[in-house]
Amino acid sequence: MALLEILCYPDPRLHKIAKTVDVFDERLDELVKNMAQTMYEAPGVGLAATQVDAHEKIIVIDTSDTRDELLVLVNPKVIWQSEENKSWREGCLSVPDFFDEVVRPDKIVVKAQNVKGDFFEMEAEGLMSVCIQHEMDHLIGKVFVEYLSPLKRARIKNKMKKRERP
Ligand code: K1U
Ligand code: ZN
């Protein structure tokens, strides 16, 4: 297993669109294992392949307190979302140390494949729902700061750019 480098906003590679996975082989298994290790080490509750510069529809999530309930979603699709929305204070491993409220559908039903290619459906609410939606945004090149006001986004971008300098 290996730790992967997490891209930091405003890296343009965070805005790439992920491709559908259609080969479920050892390479995919290895990428998923490395993504999981990177998420646990960060530490985070989720990680999208986009964040490690792999532009494929792959997400790893673990919202458990015990950090031993890894969920892998390959080619995820939201097939139902509640009309009721909820605001949640979100963070992002690609935008370290910034947190802000984002409004999203409260509950969702997702259809996805596991690492072997088997399809499954799951209903999610609370942190799990927020996390799946946040990670699925990464797969379409969207970072959570894009939900914030242009002023807040500009401030975050400036602060992140200053950090890049030696
Ligand atoms: O996509 C990411 O960068 C991961 C992100 C997921 C997320 C968290 C909270 C709301 C929405 C999406 C994170 O994991 S940020 C780190 C974090 O929130 C956390 C880290 C360790 C334990 C608990 C939370
Ligand atoms: Zn994120």
Side-chain angles (χ1 to χ4, degrees):
M1 277 196 284
L3 283 181
L4 306 171
E5 188 195 337
I6 298 176
L7 301 178
C8 275
Y9 183 79
D11 191 309
R13 291 170 290 180
L14 284 169
H15 303 301
K16 284 190 175 184
I17 309 282
K19 293 199 169 108
T20 301
V21 174
D22 41 35
V23 181
F24 293 80
D25 58 1
E26 273 179 28
R27 185 203 65 89
L28 176 67
D29 209 38
E30 194 61 25
L31 175 57
V32 166
K33 281 183 182 147
N34 291 341
M35 284 176 61
Q37 193 189 7
T38 304
M39 173 190 72
Y40 285 123
E41 202 271 342
V45 289
L47 189 73
T50 309
Q51 293 175 278
V52 292
D53 204 19
H55 302 281
E56 301 171 69
K57 292 182 185 174
I58 307 164
I59 290 169
V60 293
I61 292 177
D62 191 341
T63 58
S64 71
D65 292 336
T66 43
R67 312 286 285 152
D68 60 357
E69 291 175 26
L70 181 67
L71 174 68
V72 180
L73 298 171
V74 179
N75 300 328
K77 279 192 184 107
V78 173
I79 56 172
W80 177 85
Q81 62 185 48
S82 62
E83 280 175 22
E84 193 193 332
N85 291 328
K86 216 169 190 176
S87 177
W88 199 283
R89 194 163 176 265
E90 297 193 15
C92 181
L93 298 174
S94 296
V95 196
D97 305 327
F98 291 97
F99 299 87
D100 215 323
E101 296 287 327
V102 176
V103 176
R104 299 183 188 271
D106 185 21
K107 292 179 188 168
I108 54 170
V109 175
V110 181
K111 183 172 181 177
Q113 285 164 279
N114 64 18
V115 79
K116 290 179 183 156
D118 304 320
F119 284 90
F120 66 97
E121 287 182 19
M122 62 175 285
E123 189 175 337
E125 58 184 309
L127 177 59
M128 178 62 85
S129 171
V130 172
C131 200
I132 292 173
Q133 294 179 68
H134 175 113
E135 303 310 334
M136 285 184 69
D137 273 350
H138 277 303
L139 300 182
I140 56 165
K142 190 164 181 177
V143 180
F144 88 103
V145 297
E146 290 167 53
Y147 289 98
L148 309 180
S149 69
L151 181 63
K152 275 189 180 177
R153 196 159 63 240
R155 281 187 183 147
I156 293 171
K157 203 180 249 184
N158 282 337
K159 284 183 182 164
M160 292 295 296
K161 278 185 174 170
K162 275 184 193 157
R163 283 194 201 181
E164 279 171 19
R165 294 179 202 147

